[in-house]
Structure formats: structure tokens, C-alpha cells
């Protein structure tokens, strides 16, 4: 019984142990709410981890940018360090040069050092002054040229230009060849009397039906021409008749001169000058300058000067009068000793012309300095009338002399190698030695040559002066 009880007890114990073990080995009961909560916490944790990962990526990118900027700063610092080294090297060279210059200056006395400093300052100031002067001149020239072009264009448009007139032809036609013998006379008596009374050379040659009159004074030549025409028309040629015909021709030419002068004055609307001046003014109608009739040239100058004076607000009457009388001296230059400008000024002053008009006459070729707008207007009108197309003709010799003079004026300057007159003397090109003339001095040289041309030559129109400086370096490779 006890054994059975023990067996039963043992079996119960074994069964209890088996049950306990099965409970221990069996999975625990599932709690759904706890499981859901854990899942939510896990999702939240994953989101936080993702955000943290994004922040880490941004920080990594920022660190990368900072590293790149640091690299650039390092490179910039290296470049600045290199530039600083170069500057230190240049400063060292400058310091060495300064030291050498100081050593050189230390060997000079105070007076020599002061002179050197003043020379350097003077050279610098001169260069700056030349630069500023050129700029001022260029600006003022541009403005003045615009205004002058407007004034001149307006004046030229208002004046009807006359074409160049033929020079006075001193030839007389004869009815037949037998008249040549009658003009010569017995043993040349008639021709000697004619030349003695008229002051004109009578040329009788083989030209059929013509005799020629030669004289430097066009008025005397015209009187002689009329005298000979009268003698041929009358048929009587002897010394007494020659004197009579010459006196009548002289009176006739004088009246023609007075009438021509009066017509010109009336055409221009000027106040009448001294009566003794009228024959002299009219005598200009028998004179020509390069083929241009001097009286017609004077009338044209008066019209141009009056038109320009009206444009710029000056006295039109004075401008016309000065321009009309500017070549007065050409009527008497064959008797005087000075130039036609000074002779004309003296003549105008002697006949009571205003002093401003007298000064303009004397200054119209710059033989005295032009000091008033009236002087400049007279010069401008004379230049326009003489240089316009068709106004004058010029001999080859005079043309050659003018161009040669232009080149000589340019080449006598220091530093000038060659000079060439171009475009019929309207431009002068000057080649300079580059070692002697620098770029700044080129402008001063051009202005100086232009001033010399204005002072020494009378040229139609304007002359352009161009200074050319060229440097060349040549080496030979072998």
C-alpha cells in the first residue's frame, strides 16, 4: 500500500513536473494592444532615424562646402602671398634705385640739386601744360570751326560769284600792213614820240594786222591803246597829234575810272569817299591779280565781309568799306616803295578814311598784327574771294615757289627729317626723327610750323600741317 501510494505520489509528481515544463515551454499569450503600441513606437523611431539621417547628410554637404571655401581661401591666400612677394621684390629694386639716386644726389651741391629738381618739375609741368593746352585748343577750335563754317557758308551763298575775267590784252588792230610804216614814221620819229609821251613800249613785228603795247602799268597801257586807236581812226600820225590824242585819252580813262569807282560804291551802298580817291579806286578795274579783276575782287570781298559781319553782329558798313578798299594799294604800287597793303593803308589815311578801316587794310596780309574782328573779317573775305574755284589762275613758277617755300619752312625746324607739300599746297606732311621729338612735342611742332606759314606766306585757303612720328626696331638674325 505504501508502495502503491509512493508510486501514485511519484506519478503525480512526474505529471506535475511535466505540466510545469509544458507551461514553461509554451509561448506566452499574445497582447495585441502592447504589440500595436510597440509597432507605433518602432515607426516613430524609424521616422526620427530618417530625419536624423537627413540632418547628417545636410551637415555633410555643409562641411563639404566649407572645405571647398577653405580651399579657395587657401589658394587666394597663396596668390596674395605670391603677389606680396613680387611687390616686396619690386620695392627692393625701387629702394635700391632710390639708394643709388640718393648716393648720386649726395654728390651734388645744393644749387645743382635744386636745379635738377626744378628742371624735372618744369618738364613735368610743361608736358601737362601742353596736354591741357592741346585739349583746350581742340575744344575751342571745334566750336569755332562750326560757327565759322556756318558764317562763311551763309556769306558765300548770299554772294553771286563772278568768273575770272581776261587780262587786259594790249593789242591794236590795224586796217592794213602799210599802217605799221606810218606808225613808225620817218626814221622812227613817230614811234619814239609815242613811247616818250605814253611811257609804253610799242612793238611792231611780223604779226599781220596787229601791233602790241608793253607796259607794267595797266592804266598807262590802256591810255596808250586808246591813243593809238584814235590816231589810226583819225589817219594823222605825227608827234603833235600824238600828244593831243594822248591827252584826250588820259582824260577819257580818268573819267572811266571815276565812273567805275562810283558804280561800285553805289552797288555796295557805301558812303562816298574823298573825290580824289575815286580815280585811284577806278584804276583797279584795269588791274588783274592771277587773272582776277581787282575791282571786281574788291566788290566781292565787300559783299562777303558785309554778309559775315551781319551774321556775327558787327558793323556791316565798316566791314564792307574795309574789304572794298583792302587792295587800294595795287592801284599805286608801281609808284610806291612798300607792299600794296601798307601803300593802300597810307593812301586811305591820307584821304580821311577811319582808322579802323586803315588798320584792316594794312593787316589784311598779316604785315601788321590783326587786332580787331574787322581785320580778321577783311582777311577772311580776301581769302574766300581769291581761293574759290574759278577765281584765279596761277603760273607754274609761282606755284612751284609756293610749294618749295612750304617745305623749306617745315624742314628748318629742329628734329624734322623730311617735309612734303601735298594737295596743291593745302597740306604739309612733316616726318620727324623719333629720337629727338616725342609725341607731346609733335603737337607743339605742328602749331609752330603753322604759325610760321601764317607769318611768312600768303596762301589761298587753309594749309593743314600733319606731323608724323614713327619708331622702328630692326634686328638681323643669322
Amino acid at each position: 500500500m505504501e508502495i502503491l501510494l509512493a508510486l501514485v505520489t511519484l506519478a503525480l509528481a512526474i505529471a506535475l513536473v511535466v505540466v510545469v515544463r509544458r507551461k514553461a515551454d509554451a509561448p506566452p499569450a499574445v497582447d495585441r494592444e502592447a504589440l500595436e503600441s510597440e509597432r507605433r513606437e518602432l515607426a516613430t523611431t524609424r521616422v526620427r532615424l530618417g530625419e536624423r539621417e537627413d540632418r547628417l547628410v545636410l551637415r555633410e554637404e555643409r562641411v563639404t562646402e566649407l572645405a571647398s571655401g577653405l580651399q579657395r581661401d587657401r589658394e587666394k591666400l597663396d596668390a596674395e602671398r605670391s603677389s606680396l612677394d613680387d611687390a616686396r621684390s619690386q620695392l627692393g629694386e625701387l629702394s635700391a634705385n632710390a639708394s643709388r639716386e640718393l648716393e648720386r644726389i649726395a654728390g651734388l651741391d645744393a644749387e645743382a640739386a635744386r636745379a635738377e629738381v626744378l628742371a624735372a618739375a618744369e618738364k613735368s609741368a610743361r608736358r601737362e601744360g601742353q596736354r591741357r593746352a592741346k585739349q583746350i585748343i581742340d575744344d575751342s577750335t571745334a566750336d569755332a570751326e562750326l560757327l565759322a563754317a556756318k558764317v562763311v557758308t551763309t556769306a558765300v551763298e548770299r554772294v553771286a560769284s563772278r568768273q575770272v575775267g581776261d587780262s587786259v590784252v594790249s593789242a591794236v588792230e590795224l586796217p592794213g600792213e602799210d599802217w605799221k610804216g606810218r606808225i613808225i614814221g620817218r626814221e622812227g620819229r613817230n614811234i619814239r614820240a609815242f613811247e616818250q609821251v605814253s611811257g609804253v613800249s610799242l612793238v611792231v613785228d611780223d604779226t599781220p594786222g596787229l601791233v602790241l603795247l608793253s607796259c607794267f602799268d595797266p592804266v598807262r597801257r590802256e591810255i596808250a591803246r586808246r591813243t593809238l586807236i584814235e590816231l589810226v581812226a583819225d589817219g594823222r600820225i605825227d608827234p603833235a597829234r600824238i600828244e593831243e590824242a594822248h591827252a584826250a585819252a588820259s582824260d577819257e580813262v580818268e573819267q572811266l575810272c571815276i565812273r567805275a569807282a562810283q558804280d561800285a560804291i553805289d552797288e555796295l551802298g557805301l558812303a562816298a569817299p574823298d573825290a580824289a580817291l575815286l580815280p585811284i579806286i577806278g584804276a583797279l578795274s584795269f588791274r588783274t591779280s592771277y587773272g582776277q579783276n581787282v575791282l571786281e575782287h574788291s566788290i566781292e570781298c565787300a559783299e562777303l565781309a558785309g554778309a559775315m559781319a551781319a551774321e556775327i553782329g558787327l558793323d556791316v558798313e565798316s566791314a564792307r568799306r574795309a574789304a572794298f578798299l583792302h587792295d587800294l594799294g595795287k592801284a599805286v604800287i608801281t609808284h610806291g616803295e612798300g607792299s600794296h597793303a601798307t601803300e593802300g593803308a597810307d593812301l586811305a589815311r591820307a584821304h580821311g578814311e577811319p582808322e579802323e578801316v586803315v588798320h584792316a587794310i594794312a593787316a589784311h596780309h598779316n604785315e601788321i598784327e590783326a587786332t580787331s574782328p574787322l581785320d580778321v573779317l577783311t582777311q577772311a573775305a580776301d581769302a574766300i574771294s581769291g581761293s574759290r574755284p574759278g577765281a584765279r589762275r596761277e603760273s607754274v613758277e609761282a606755284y612751284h615757289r609756293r610749294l618749295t617755300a612750304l617745305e623749306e619752312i617745315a624742314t628748318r625746324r629742329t628734329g624734322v627729317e623730311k617735309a612734303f607739300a601735298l594737295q596743291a599746297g593745302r597740306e604739309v606732311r612733316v616726318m620727324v626723327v623719333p629720337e629727338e621729338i616725342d609725341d607731346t612735342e609733335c603737337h607743339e611742332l605742328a602749331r609752330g610750323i603753322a604759325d610760321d606759314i601764317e607769318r611768312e606766306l600768303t596762301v589761298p585757303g587753309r594749309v593743314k600741317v600733319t606731323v608724323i612720328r614713327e619708331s622702328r626696331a630692326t634686328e638681323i638674325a643669322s
Side-chain angles (χ1 to χ4, degrees):
M1 193 63 180
E2 290 179 357
I3 295 172
L4 183 60
L5 184 59
L7 289 171
V8 172
T9 303
L10 180 59
L12 289 172
I14 291 171
L16 181 61
V17 170
V18 171
V19 171
V20 171
R21 285 182 177 177
R22 285 181 179 175
K23 288 183 179 181
D25 295 336
V30 178
D31 189 350
R32 292 182 178 277
E33 294 181 0
L35 184 59
E36 188 66 27
S37 176
E38 290 179 359
R39 288 178 178 175
R40 286 195 297 269
E41 289 179 0
L42 182 58
T44 303
T45 302
R46 287 177 178 173
V47 171
R48 290 177 179 174
L49 288 175
E51 293 176 353
R52 185 171 296 177
E53 184 179 357
D54 293 340
R55 287 197 295 272
L56 288 175
V57 171
L58 291 174
R59 288 182 180 179
E60 184 178 357
E61 292 177 353
R62 190 174 300 170
V63 169
T64 303
E65 291 179 358
L66 291 174
S68 300
L70 185 61
Q71 181 65 25
R72 288 193 298 269
D73 291 342
R74 186 178 292 110
E75 293 175 355
K76 184 177 180 180
L77 183 61
D78 292 339
E80 291 179 352
R81 185 180 293 110
S82 176
S83 176
L84 182 60
D85 292 340
D86 293 340
R88 285 176 179 172
S89 176
Q90 293 177 2
L91 181 61
E93 293 178 1
L94 292 175
S95 178
N97 293 336
S99 298
R100 288 193 295 269
E101 185 68 15
L102 287 174
E103 291 174 0
R104 186 185 66 81
I105 294 175
L108 302 176
D109 57 12
E111 198 62 36
R114 184 182 298 107
E116 185 169 343
V117 172
L118 289 176
E122 181 182 358
K123 184 176 182 180
S124 176
R126 182 180 290 108
R127 288 179 177 274
E128 180 64 19
Q130 290 174 352
R131 185 187 67 80
R132 293 189 178 182
K134 180 180 180 300
Q135 182 177 359
I136 294 172
I137 291 173
D138 290 343
D139 294 341
S140 60
T141 300
D143 296 338
E145 284 183 350
L146 288 176
L147 179 58
K150 179 181 177 182
V151 171
V152 171
T153 302
T154 303
V156 171
E157 288 176 348
R158 293 172 57 185
V159 176
S161 299
R162 299 173 175 84
Q163 294 299 316
V164 58
D166 292 334
S167 299
V168 177
V169 179
S170 300
V172 178
E173 294 185 6
L174 301 177
E177 287 296 311
D178 59 323
W179 278 91
K180 291 184 178 180
R182 297 175 62 179
I183 290 173
I184 295 173
R186 182 178 299 176
E187 298 179 355
R189 181 184 64 173
N190 291 342
I191 194 172
R192 286 197 301 272
F194 183 90
E195 292 180 346
Q196 183 178 0
V197 170
S198 65
V200 176
S201 297
L202 182 59
V203 180
V204 181
D205 56 14
D206 296 334
T207 305
L210 285 178
V211 291
L212 302 178
L213 300 170
S214 175
C215 179
F216 63 89
D217 189 331
V219 177
R220 292 212 317 246
R221 189 168 60 241
E222 176 63 15
I223 294 173
R225 188 182 71 86
R226 291 175 177 270
T227 300
L228 187 56
I229 291 174
E230 175 63 24
L231 291 172
V232 171
D234 183 59
R236 293 178 297 139
I237 302 178
D238 56 65
R241 178 60 184 147
I242 289 173
E243 292 182 3
E244 181 182 347
H246 183 268
S250 299
D251 294 338
E252 182 181 355
V253 169
E254 183 178 0
Q255 292 302 315
L256 287 174
C257 291
I258 294 174
R259 190 178 306 116
Q262 193 61 57
D263 291 344
I265 292 170
D266 293 342
E267 179 183 349
L268 296 172
L270 299 177
D274 186 9
L277 205 58
L278 292 178
I280 301 174
I281 296 174
L284 296 175
S285 62
F286 295 103
R287 288 194 62 90
T288 58
S289 178
Y290 300 105
Q292 186 180 29
N293 185 276
V294 177
L295 183 59
E296 292 184 358
H297 165 66
S298 300
I299 295 172
E300 186 176 325
C301 288
E303 293 173 345
L304 288 167
M308 289 188 288
E311 288 292 328
I312 60 178
L314 297 179
D315 183 24
V316 176
E317 171 72 18
S318 297
R320 285 189 172 187
R321 196 172 194 87
F324 178 65
L325 298 176
H326 80 282
D327 274 344
L328 186 64
K330 287 185 177 180
V332 295
I333 190 62
T334 53
H335 310 297
E337 297 180 354
S339 69
H340 75 272
T342 56
E343 289 284 337
D346 294 341
L347 192 60
R349 183 181 291 108
H351 288 82
E353 291 295 324
E355 188 58 36
E356 59 181 3
V357 172
V358 172
H359 193 277
I361 295 172
H364 81 274
H365 280 319
N366 285 319
E367 290 173 337
I368 65 173
E369 184 181 1
T371 57
S372 70
L374 185 61
D375 300 347
V376 179
L377 272 183
T378 305
Q379 293 176 348
D382 183 34
I384 294 171
S385 177
S387 62
R388 65 173 175 81
R392 295 183 175 183
R393 56 174 174 261
E394 187 176 14
S395 65
V396 176
E397 292 80 9
Y399 173 80
H400 183 268
R401 285 197 301 270
R402 179 160 60 87
L403 267 61
T404 303
L406 287 173
E407 294 180 353
E408 289 177 351
I409 289 175
T411 53
R412 72 189 181 198
R413 287 268 178 167
T414 303
V416 175
E417 183 178 7
K418 297 177 182 178
F420 303 100
L422 306 174
Q423 298 182 7
R426 289 178 173 82
E427 181 179 0
V428 180
R429 292 187 184 176
V430 182
M431 312 294 180
V432 299
V433 181
E435 291 78 11
E436 298 182 12
I437 304 293
D438 59 21
D439 290 338
T440 304
E441 293 171 337
C442 284
H443 299 288
E444 184 178 359
L445 177 63
R447 183 66 264 170
I449 294 174
D451 290 340
D452 291 345
I453 293 173
E454 291 177 359
R455 184 171 54 254
E456 299 180 23
L457 292 181
T458 301
V459 294
R462 302 170 64 183
V463 178
K464 178 182 178 182
V465 179
T466 302
V467 176
I468 300 174
R469 179 179 181 268
E470 181 182 11
S471 299
R472 294 187 181 182
T474 304
E475 292 291 342
I476 299 176
S478 59

